[in-house]
């Protein structure tokens, strides 16, 4: 006969086997969260590859299945299912060029569907973004070599949501010197309109109307001068996406004039 100590030991071994087995449906059920799936907006990447949209989302221990819904942007969007499964990512292809899309991530637990109220925003772009990741102040890049085929975009969706790409740079200017920046708008050409704005050291944005811009250092020490390039929001009057490709270079550093 088993004494109490041996019985407890065998029971412990059995329970450990249930809860630590690699494929253990009983342990999975008993140990999983009791919380309902949480609502989240899927993360949308529209500009890494032409005419493809990459969508991903976080793992949710409360969900048995993910249901990705898509709609063309409209005042009353009509969503349809484009993916159902347990993956955490989806690549959307065969889309209509220059079209805005909305994404929502519904979830299922057991027999209950949880409908998302949050949205991700996508665009079927004919041009990809540049390779530089300088879209925040912390990731600003120094202007030394020419930066070519840079991309800015600005977009409005029907619900008022704005997506945009700003570019951040800085120039190290010696005391008593000035730096000349030269900007060339490539696509569209300047004849179509000049849409690029420059923010110099936190001052209000102004249109980069001339081909070059002068940064002056009138102080007695080296200055790390931050600038930001962005698109004029007036490029979009109601809703849509606008993209501009450009080159920028540090042409020279000379004495103050």
């Amino acid at each position: 006969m088993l004494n109490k100590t041996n019985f407890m030991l065998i029971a412990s071994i059995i329970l450990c086997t249930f809860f630590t087995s690699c494929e253990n449906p009983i342990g999975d059920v008993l140990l999983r969260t009791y919380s309902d799936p949480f609502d989240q907006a899927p993360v949308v990447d529209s500009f890494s590859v032409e005419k493809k949209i990459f969508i991903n989302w976080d793992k949710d221990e409360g969900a048995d299945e993910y249901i990705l819904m898509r709609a063309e942007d409209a005042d009353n969007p009509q969503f349809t299912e484009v993916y159902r499964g347990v993956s955490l990512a989806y690549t959307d292809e065969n889309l209509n060029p220059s079209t805005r899309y909305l994404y929502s991530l519904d979830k299922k637990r057991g027999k209950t569907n949880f409908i998302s109220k949050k949205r991700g925003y996508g665009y079927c772009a004919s041009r990809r973004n540049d390779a530089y990741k300088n879209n925040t102040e912390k990731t600003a890049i120094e202007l030394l070599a020419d930066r070519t085929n840079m991309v800015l975009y600005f977009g409005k969706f029907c619900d008022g949501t704005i997506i945009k790409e700003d570019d951040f740079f800085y120039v190290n200017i010696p005391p008593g010197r000035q730096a000349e920046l030269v900007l060339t708008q490539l696509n569209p050409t300047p004849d179509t309109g000049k849409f690029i704005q420059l923010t110099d050291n936190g001052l209000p944005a102004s249109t980069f109307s001339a081909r070059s811009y002068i940064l002056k250092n009138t102080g007695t020490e080296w200055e790390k001068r931050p600038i930001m390039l962005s698109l004029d929001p007036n490029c979009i009057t109601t809703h849509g996406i606008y993209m501009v490709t450009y080159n920028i270079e540090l042409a020279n550093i000379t004495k103050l004039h």
Side-chain angles (χ1 to χ4, degrees):
M1 292 181 62
L2 292 175
N3 58 36
K4 184 176 180 180
T5 301
N6 290 337
F7 176 80
M8 294 298 294
L9 178 61
I10 293 172
S12 297
I13 293 173
I14 293 173
L15 288 173
C16 288
T17 301
F18 274 130
F19 289 113
T20 60
S21 173
C22 292
E23 295 182 1
N24 179 21
I26 297 176
D28 290 344
V29 171
L30 293 177
L31 294 177
R32 75 174 297 186
T33 178
Y34 288 99
S35 301
D36 287 339
F38 56 83
D39 195 3
Q40 67 175 132
V43 178
V44 181
D45 174 7
S46 301
F47 300 98
S48 290
V49 177
E50 297 91 336
K51 300 178 182 179
K52 288 186 180 182
I53 300 178
F54 300 94
I55 307 104
N56 66 82
W57 50 89
D58 295 330
K59 182 176 177 60
D60 188 341
E61 298 293 348
D64 297 323
E65 194 173 43
Y66 305 104
I67 306 162
L68 183 65
M69 308 292 289
R70 181 189 70 205
E72 289 193 13
D73 183 37
D75 291 327
N76 295 295
Q78 303 299 310
F79 284 90
T80 58
E81 180 182 316
V82 293
Y83 170 78
R84 178 185 292 259
V86 297
S87 177
L88 300 179
Y90 179 77
T91 301
D92 209 359
E93 303 181 72
N94 301 317
L95 300 165
N96 297 322
S98 303
T99 300
R100 303 180 309 281
Y101 290 96
L102 305 174
Y103 294 91
S104 66
L105 185 67
D106 297 343
K107 298 176 182 179
K108 187 173 183 179
R109 179 175 177 136
K111 295 182 179 180
T112 304
N113 289 325
F114 294 83
I115 306 303
S116 177
K117 297 180 180 180
K118 298 183 179 181
R119 294 175 177 176
Y121 297 83
Y123 178 65
C124 183
S126 58
R127 282 179 278 167
R128 68 176 62 190
N129 204 350
D130 54 69
Y132 307 102
K133 305 299 181 182
N134 61 321
N135 57 342
T136 67
E137 291 185 42
K138 291 184 178 180
T139 58
I141 55 179
E142 184 176 5
L143 267 179
L144 290 173
D146 297 354
R147 303 294 180 175
T148 60
N149 293 311
M150 303 292 293
V151 174
L152 298 168
Y153 61 82
F154 183 91
K156 290 181 182 178
F157 285 75
C158 290
D159 65 1
T161 296
I162 291 174
I163 63 171
K164 63 176 182 174
E165 170 89 355
D166 301 328
D167 285 342
F168 291 81
F169 304 93
Y170 66 91
V171 181
N172 284 313
I173 310 173
R177 297 290 189 271
Q178 62 184 29
E180 181 185 12
L181 306 182
V182 173
L183 183 142
T184 305
Q185 186 174 305
L186 302 175
N187 185 8
T189 63
D191 294 338
T192 305
K194 295 180 180 179
F195 302 102
I196 298 178
Q197 291 184 327
L198 182 141
T199 302
D200 178 10
N201 203 24
L203 296 173
S206 59
T207 302
F208 206 125
S209 56
R211 187 167 183 267
S212 67
Y213 184 84
I214 303 298
L215 305 174
K216 295 183 178 182
N217 180 7
T218 59
T220 57
E221 297 180 353
W222 281 76
E223 180 183 4
K224 182 180 178 180
R225 186 73 158 268
I227 64 168
M228 181 185 77
L229 298 182
S230 58
L231 289 189
D232 183 348
N234 292 322
C235 65
I236 301 297
T237 55
T238 54
H239 48 259
I241 308 288
Y242 204 83
M243 298 182 71
V244 172
T245 305
Y246 69 96
N247 295 343
I248 189 169
E249 62 178 298
L250 174 59
N252 56 67
I253 294 180
T254 59
K255 289 184 178 182
L256 284 173
H257 294 169

